[in-house]
Amino acid sequence: MHMIIDCHGPYTTSPKALDEWRDRQLAGLVDGSRKLAASEPQISDDQLRETIQLGQLRIQRERGSDLTLFSPRAVGMAHHVGNQRVSEDWARVCNNLIFRITELFPRNFVGVCQLPQSPGVNPSNCLPELERCVKELGFVGCNLNPDPSGGYWKEPPLTDPWWYPLFEKMVELDVPAMIHVSGSCNPCFHATGAHYINGDTTAFMQLIQGDLFKDFPTLKLIIPHGGGAAPYHWGRYRGLAQMMKKPLLAQHLLRNTYFDTCVYHQRGIDLLTDVVPTDNILFASEMLGAVQGIDPQTGHNYDDTRRYIDELAISDEHKRKIFETNARKVYARLDKRLNAVGLIHG
Ligand SMILES: [Zn+2]
């Protein structure tokens, strides 16, 4: 008997009051008389409970997963909007809601935080919020946006020392980051169809070009959505790494880089698990997220990714790595949480 841990759960069902708070926050940017009076949106525990019971918790039960690593909505981060102060307030409010849900449902949800990134602002501004979320709220990871400009890629690549203060703090706290873009304000890139997958692919290529893990041998990064185009084009990436005189990908990246299983068809998951070592794959569904609806070819929801893993012709031991043990290894602080709520013993 083992656990099924979904490492990619966005709070897409958050109450309207959160959006209203955000609208007022942004209105206050252009009209000082409309500045927020309350520093937090007024949302009751019952309201929070309802959004979860009708949404993520219901689906967890229907599909038979146990625990979701839960974060604010990726599209909602919208780092390109406003300024540093706006992002800091917004991240705090969103993370506090996630914390409350992890308190209301401690056996079903563990927190992953939004960072208060802002275009052109060094990510060292994120350290206090990351530290607060990990040390005070019990979060086990963060979402790191490689493109706070929202589709225009104005920041240096992830391997640039620009990002190092954040990586140093992550290593110190022993938390990984999921590399996840937010919305796209570039009309060329559909957010979930193009910008997300581009973001994943771009992050992977940046990691190949650089030598980030020489400087941070214990840093752990998760590339979502199955790693974007990387697994499908594995030969291209191996070849490019070779041309750049980089070590083999196994040494260069795979001690530190992981992919999730947010790939919404069987043959995609077959390919992912065929190409990428099982040790580097973490179960995830992104429910209720990017793609909602039922696949007429299978009669099941596209994002019901557990079915694809169940169908794989790999051993139970390998499935267990994907469903549970890899997540417990990558999110090193998770075991302490699982122990505290009695999900594991020892
Ligand atoms: Zn995602």
Side-chain angles (χ1 to χ4, degrees):
M1 177 88 180
H2 53 78
M3 236 187 309
I4 297 186
I5 301 171
D6 184 337
C7 76
H8 190 164
Y11 190 21
T12 46
T13 56
S14 51
K16 243 205 211 122
L18 181 66
D19 299 329
E20 287 163 6
W21 188 96
R22 175 68 162 170
D23 288 346
R24 289 203 308 280
Q25 184 198 33
L26 299 182
L29 268 179
V30 287
D31 177 358
S33 70
R34 300 179 65 190
K35 281 240 185 319
L36 286 164
S39 62
E40 298 273 338
Q42 301 304 304
I43 300 171
S44 69
D45 281 354
D46 280 345
Q47 281 174 294
L48 286 183
R49 251 186 228 109
E50 192 184 331
T51 63
I52 295 296
Q53 279 164 346
L54 297 177
Q56 286 81 2
L57 192 63
R58 175 179 59 84
I59 294 176
Q60 262 188 13
R61 287 186 175 137
E62 277 173 16
R63 298 184 188 173
S65 69
D66 299 293
L67 185 84
T68 301
L69 304 189
F70 204 49
S71 69
R73 260 177 354 133
V75 158
M77 300 189 294
H79 294 122
H80 56 273
V81 176
N83 53 38
Q84 178 180 345
R85 175 70 201 278
V86 163
S87 278
E88 288 170 2
D89 289 346
W90 177 231
R92 192 192 67 244
V93 161
C94 291
N95 290 331
N96 285 349
L97 276 193
I98 297 296
F99 169 66
R100 288 174 61 194
I101 287 163
T102 65
E103 291 287 285
L104 291 170
F105 302 97
R107 292 171 68 90
N108 300 92
F109 298 94
V110 173
V112 166
C113 69
Q114 169 177 333
L115 296 173
Q117 295 173 253
S118 192
V121 176
N122 185 273
S124 56
N125 83 308
C126 299
L127 307 191
E129 180 62 5
L130 177 62
E131 191 145 22
R132 182 183 81 95
C133 287
V134 173
K135 287 191 170 166
E136 294 173 29
L137 310 186
F139 286 26
V140 298
C142 59
N143 286 335
L144 171 59
N145 184 351
D147 174 30
S149 73
Y152 290 94
W153 293 91
K154 291 182 178 164
E155 317 294 314
L158 289 168
T159 50
D160 190 278
W162 164 264
W163 300 93
Y164 277 23
L166 182 60
F167 295 143
E168 282 162 10
K169 183 54 75 177
M170 284 168 51
V171 166
E172 181 198 316
L173 295 170
D174 207 4
V175 292
M178 179 172 279
I179 307 299
H180 204 303
V181 294
S182 183
S184 165
C185 48
N186 183 337
C188 294
F189 301 131
H190 181 274
T192 51
H195 188 43
Y196 277 24
I197 308 302
N198 291 349
D200 306 334
T201 311
T202 299
F204 185 72
M205 190 62 219
Q206 288 177 355
L207 295 176
I208 288 180
Q209 286 177 273
D211 290 295
L212 183 63
F213 303 121
K214 265 190 191 156
D215 287 343
F216 296 97
T218 60
L219 182 69
K220 292 189 171 64
L221 303 176
I222 302 110
I223 302 186
H225 321 114
Y232 187 56
H233 286 286
W234 204 244
R236 172 174 295 252
Y237 293 111
R238 284 175 47 236
L240 284 168
Q242 192 173 314
M243 284 168 67
M244 292 172 191
K245 312 276 186 242
K246 300 294 184 186
L248 295 173
L249 292 187
Q251 284 99 53
H252 189 39
L253 300 188
L254 295 185
R255 289 172 182 152
N256 310 79
T257 310
Y258 300 84
F259 301 105
D260 80 9
T261 65
C262 293
V263 173
Y264 293 158
H265 67 144
Q266 185 67 49
R267 282 183 288 176
I269 290 285
D270 292 348
L271 175 101
L272 172 69
T273 52
D274 194 26
V275 170
V276 174
T278 313
D279 285 337
N280 294 78
I281 301 172
L282 273 59
F283 175 69
S285 70
E286 208 178 12
M287 64 90 178
L288 295 140
V291 178
Q292 298 178 36
I294 291 170
D295 183 344
Q297 290 181 5
T298 64
H300 300 294
N301 286 82
Y302 289 100
D303 64 2
D304 188 356
T305 51
R306 182 187 163 175
R307 289 175 185 279
Y308 311 135
I309 316 291
D310 285 341
E311 286 298 313
L312 286 173
I314 60 173
S315 69
D316 284 349
E317 187 200 335
H318 281 103
K319 286 183 187 173
R320 185 171 179 198
K321 284 183 177 185
I322 294 173
F323 279 134
E324 177 191 349
T325 50
N326 290 345
R328 288 171 57 188
K329 191 180 66 184
V330 173
Y331 294 84
R333 301 179 81 103
L334 187 55
D335 269 10
K336 214 174 135 207
R337 293 282 301 178
L338 300 178
N339 233 322
V341 297
L343 284 169
I344 59 167
H345 302 283

